[in-house]
Amino acid sequence: MDMPLLQQTLSELGQPAYRERQIWRWLSQGADSFEVMTDLPRGLREALGERLAFSSLTLEREARARDGTVKALLRTRDGRPVEAVLMTYRAPRGVRGADPGAAGRRSLCLSSQSGCPLTCRFCATGAMRFHRNLSASEIVDQALHFRRSGPVDHAVFMGMGEPMMNLDAVLEACARLPAIGISHRRTAISTVGWIPGIRRLTSEPMPIRLALSLHAADDALRCALMPVNERYPLADVLQACREHYERKRRRVFVEYVMLAGVNDSHVQARQLAAVLDPRIFKVNLIPFNPTDAPYEGSSPKAIEAFRAELERQGLGATVRLTRGRDIDAACGQLAARGA
Ligand code: SAH
C-alpha cells in the first residue's frame, strides 16, 4: 500500500487520522482487500477500493522451488522489477548442516532497490541496469505480499540493491516490520561496506543486525571482485564494523561467497581469520550460485576445508544452506532473468 497516498486519500475523503492506523492493522495482519476491513464503514471501503491500488507492487510471476522457497517477481507502478523471496524451513530431522533453530521459520529476502548501482563482478543484479531506489511502501509491500499467505518472522535485506544507499526508505520499512511479525532483532541489513550507512545504522536505536559482504581479506582481490572497495577500503570498513559492535554489542555477520581458485585457498582462510576478531565477527560462507560471470563456485569439499580452517583459527563459521536453486531464487540471481 502506498502509505503517503493512503493518507492523502483519507484526508481528501474527510476521514479522521485513526483510519490509517485501522487500515495498517489489517494490512499488517495479511488482509488482501479493503472489503475484509469490517470496522471501516462500507462506503469508505468502496471509495478506497475505487481510488487506490491495494499494493504499490503487482505480482508478475511467482515460482515455487522443491524446497518450498517461493520467489516473487513484482513490478512497481512505473514498471520496475522487484524480487522478493520467502524461505520456509521445516523441522530439519537428520538434514546435514541444518540449523535446528531455524525449524518452522518463515524468512523473507527483501530488495531495497530495483537493480543496483554497484558492480560486484560475480553478482547478477550488479550486471543489470540500475533503475531506482524503492520507496518504504514498496519495500513493505514485498513483506505484505508474503504475509498474505501466512505468518512471517525473519527478514534480510539481501535481495536486489544496496540497502545502505537507500537507508531512509529501508529504515522506514524496518520500523513497520514488527507489526507484520518481524522484530528488529530478526531483521538484518546486508551491505557491501558502505561506510556512511554502517555509521548511521550504528547510531540508529532499532537493534537491527548488520551483515557485511566481505568476499576477500585483502584490498587487491576485494577491489577486483567489488569495485566499491576502491571507495571504502577494507581496513576502514572493518573499523566501522568494530565501532558498530562497540556501540550495539551485536555481532556482525560476514558473508563470504566461495569462488573456486579465487578466494577459497587455505592461505586465504588464514588471512581472513587474521583480519576478523572472533568476538565481533561470525562468518557465513556462501556457496556461489552460477551467473553469467566468469566464476565457478568452490566445491563442497573446498568450502568445508575453508570453514574448518577458520574454526581452527578460532573464528566461528557456518556454510549457508542454498535454497531455491531450481528457480533462480538463490542470492545474486534476483530479477536478472525477469528484468
Ligand atoms: N548489496 C548488499 C545486499 C544484496 S546481495 C550486499 O552486497 O551485501 C546479498 C548477498 O548475496 C551478498 O553477500 C552478495 O555478495 C551475495 N551474492 C551476490 N551474487 C551471488 C551469487 N551469484 N552467489 C552467491 N552469493 C551472491
Side-chain angles (χ1 to χ4, degrees), residues 240-257:
C241 290
R242 282 191 289 269
E243 287 164 10
H244 182 85
Y245 177 81
E246 289 307 321
R247 179 83 163 265
K248 310 280 269 201
R249 292 285 153 191
R250 295 202 75 207
R251 279 192 166 177
V252 177
F253 287 176
V254 166
E255 295 152 272
Y256 192 97
V257 63

Side-chain angles (χ1 to χ4, degrees), residues 293-336:
Y295 295 105
E296 267 181 59
S298 310
S299 67
K301 210 173 136 200
I303 296 175
E304 179 47 32
F306 197 92
R307 192 196 66 76
E309 182 57 31
L310 294 180
E311 293 276 356
R312 244 192 316 278
Q313 301 294 324
L315 183 62
T318 51
V319 178
R320 178 174 297 168
L321 219 52
T322 298
R323 315 262 316 172
R325 257 205 177 167
D326 50 321
I327 53 164
D328 282 345
C331 49
Q333 298 180 325
L334 296 185

Side-chain angles (χ1 to χ4, degrees), residues 109-113 116 118 120-126 156-164 189-193 211-215 226 254-259 284 286-293 320 322 325 330-334:
C109 181
L110 303 176
S111 294
S112 54
Q113 300 179 313
C116 186
L118 301 176
C120 300
R121 300 298 180 216
F122 50 85
C123 176
T125 308
V156 291
F157 282 88
M158 294 184 190
M160 300 165 80
E162 169 51 41
M164 296 301 191
I189 296 179
S190 176
T191 179
V192 293
L212 172 67
S213 295
L214 195 61
H215 310 320
M226 308 173 72
V254 166
E255 295 152 272
Y256 192 97
V257 63
M258 297 294 291
L259 303 171
N284 200 212
I286 312 178
F288 176 64
N289 295 295
T291 60
D292 292 337
R320 178 174 297 168
T322 298
R325 257 205 177 167
C331 49
Q333 298 180 325
L334 296 185

Side-chain angles (χ1 to χ4, degrees), residues 11-333:
S11 88
E12 281 166 14
L13 292 169
Q15 292 292 320
Y18 66 81
R19 293 288 185 217
E20 187 199 335
R21 289 194 296 277
Q22 271 178 309
I23 292 168
W24 168 245
R25 203 175 309 127
W26 283 102
L27 289 169
S28 62
Q29 289 167 14
D32 61 2
S33 70
F34 289 113
E35 269 316 290
V36 303
M37 302 182 182
T38 46
D39 54 356
L40 301 183
R42 182 178 300 278
L44 176 59
R45 281 182 267 159
E46 283 169 7
L48 291 172
E50 280 160 21
R51 285 164 181 248
L52 279 179
F54 198 71
S55 175
S56 62
L57 302 172
T58 50
L59 179 64
E60 182 164 313
R61 242 183 309 131
E62 203 159 50
R64 192 173 290 267
R66 282 190 291 276
D67 62 20
T69 302
V70 183
K71 178 182 74 167
L73 173 59
L74 304 146
R75 293 262 172 203
T76 61
R77 296 265 129 212
D78 58 343
R80 313 298 171 173
V82 177
E83 289 216 1
V85 180
L86 168 70
M87 291 156 287
T88 55
Y89 297 84
R90 264 169 288 158
R93 227 169 260 137
V95 180
R96 231 181 113 234
D99 169 6
R105 258 189 210 180
R106 284 170 52 92
S107 192
L108 302 178
C109 181
L110 303 176
S111 294
S112 54
Q113 300 179 313
S114 176
C116 186
L118 301 176
T119 52
C120 300
R121 300 298 180 216
F122 50 85
C123 176
T125 308
M128 71 181 267
R129 185 156 97 80
F130 173 58
H131 292 280
R132 64 170 172 80
N133 280 338
L134 298 179
S135 68
S137 295
E138 287 165 339
I139 296 169
V140 171
D141 274 332
Q142 297 168 52
L144 291 180
H145 170 74
F146 290 115
R147 176 65 187 86
R148 292 196 273 275
S149 67
V152 288
D153 45 42
H154 287 73
V156 291
F157 282 88
M158 294 184 190
M160 300 165 80
E162 169 51 41
M164 296 301 191
M165 295 176 83
N166 185 21
L167 199 51
D168 284 333
V170 166
L171 291 176
E172 197 184 324
C174 285
R176 288 199 181 266
L177 292 181
I180 303 176
I182 303 164
S183 69
H184 297 318
R185 290 186 175 276
R186 291 173 165 190
T187 302
I189 296 179
S190 176
T191 179
V192 293
W194 194 263
I195 292 177
I198 295 175
R199 295 214 172 111
R200 229 186 107 196
L201 187 63
T202 303
S203 59
E204 169 60 45
M206 290 185 271
I208 295 167
R209 169 86 59 197
L210 174 63
L212 172 67
S213 295
L214 195 61
H215 310 320
D218 70 273
D219 277 311
L221 179 58
R222 196 161 189 268
C223 285
L225 294 174
M226 308 173 72
V228 69
N229 192 71
E230 308 270 1
R231 180 160 179 173
Y232 298 118
L234 198 58
D236 299 352
V237 172
L238 293 178
Q239 179 58 26
C241 290
R242 282 191 289 269
E243 287 164 10
H244 182 85
Y245 177 81
E246 289 307 321
R247 179 83 163 265
K248 310 280 269 201
R249 292 285 153 191
R250 295 202 75 207
R251 279 192 166 177
V252 177
F253 287 176
V254 166
E255 295 152 272
Y256 192 97
V257 63
M258 297 294 291
L259 303 171
V262 175
N263 66 355
D264 66 346
S265 73
H266 184 82
V267 171
Q268 285 161 323
R270 298 185 74 122
Q271 213 180 354
L272 181 60
V275 299
L276 298 179
D277 181 338
R279 288 168 303 182
I280 300 178
F281 298 97
K282 185 179 168 299
V283 176
N284 200 212
L285 301 175
I286 312 178
F288 176 64
N289 295 295
T291 60
D292 292 337
Y295 295 105
E296 267 181 59
S298 310
S299 67
K301 210 173 136 200
I303 296 175
E304 179 47 32
F306 197 92
R307 192 196 66 76
E309 182 57 31
L310 294 180
E311 293 276 356
R312 244 192 316 278
Q313 301 294 324
L315 183 62
T318 51
V319 178
R320 178 174 297 168
L321 219 52
T322 298
R323 315 262 316 172
R325 257 205 177 167
D326 50 321
I327 53 164
D328 282 345
C331 49
Q333 298 180 325

